[in-house]
Amino acid sequence: EVQLLESGGGLVQPGGSLRLSCAASGFTFSSSAMSWVRQAPGKGLEWVSALSSGGDSTYYADSAKGRFTISRDSSKNTLYLQMNRLRADDTAVYYCATMGTGWVLRSWGQGTLVTVSS
Amino acid sequence: QSALTQPPSASGSPGQSVTISCTGTSSDVGAYNYVSWYQQYPGRAPQLIIYDVSKRPSGVPDRFSGSKSGNTASLTISGLQAEDEADYYCSSYAGRSKVFGGGTKLTVL
């Protein structure tokens, strides 16, 4: 069974940084592209970033470009999202998900809440 | 990376059918057969229910079906059940990015 467990969320001041982690199990992590999706309180889903299975290709939404960095450590079966220069509108639950052909998001974690506030 | 357009709400009685539309552009929905739909209950993570426009993952009832015409995709739920009350999001590959719809809250009357 695919399991994805996000961690690293919390309260951070505007302009601060946070690194999210997504621990994966139940599938061959090194063979799967991965993605981060966020959901602001009471709002819809927003795609944030994606990473190829080999880690050599990265993709970002305009809102994340230049501030967020997606990476993976296949030796630890873990996906990361380094978030810098955080803003109030980055406040959201952040989900990691496995990504298949056509960028379909097949399996999702339970999410981790990031709150950006002074 | 503009969001796809969905109606904010939809409703139907048990046993009826309901269709939720998802309108994009020739750069996303119209360009690729990579439309997917996700169901989300309050406080829970989204779950994939339709991918590649009309395919169902194992375990998803065949009451759920998807289609596409031009720049508009649709999700149809037939034989509506109380457990179908949830938020539904469409999504499309958009060329090195992914775009979601704003979501539709489905109420089972």
Side-chain angles (χ1 to χ4, degrees), chain B residues 39-47 82-88:
Chain B
Q39 177 189 60
Q40 186 180 35
Y41 294 111
R44 303 291 298 275
Q47 280 189 296
E83 66 202 51
D84 299 332
E85 186 162 294
D87 294 327
Y88 292 85

Side-chain angles (χ1 to χ4, degrees), chain A residues 39 43-45 47 59-62 95 101-106 108-109, chain B residues 1 34 36 38 40 44-46 48 51-52 89 93 96-98 100 102:
Chain A
Q39 185 170 35
K43 303 296 184 182
L45 301 174
W47 172 74
Y59 309 88
Y60 299 96
D62 288 344
Y95 297 99
T101 302
W103 287 38
V104 60
L105 303 176
R106 290 192 172 276
W108 297 62
Chain B
Q1 296 175 346
Y34 291 138
S36 49
Y38 304 87
Q40 186 180 35
R44 303 291 298 275
L48 175 68
Y51 68 101
D52 291 357
Y89 294 91
Y93 176 65
R96 298 171 63 86
S97 68
K98 188 170 179 68
F100 282 95

Side-chain angles (χ1 to χ4, degrees), chain B residues 15-31:
Chain B
Q16 288 186 333
S17 293
V18 65
T19 296
I20 299 171
S21 63
C22 170
T23 301
T25 70
S26 57
S27 297
D28 39 61
V29 174

Side-chain angles (χ1 to χ4, degrees), chain A residues 12-36:
Chain A
V12 61
Q13 291 189 337
S17 298
L18 213 54
R19 189 178 81 156
L20 306 183
S21 299
C22 170
S25 62
F27 65 104
T28 306
F29 179 73
S30 59
S31 297
S32 181
M34 300 292 295
S35 193
W36 288 97

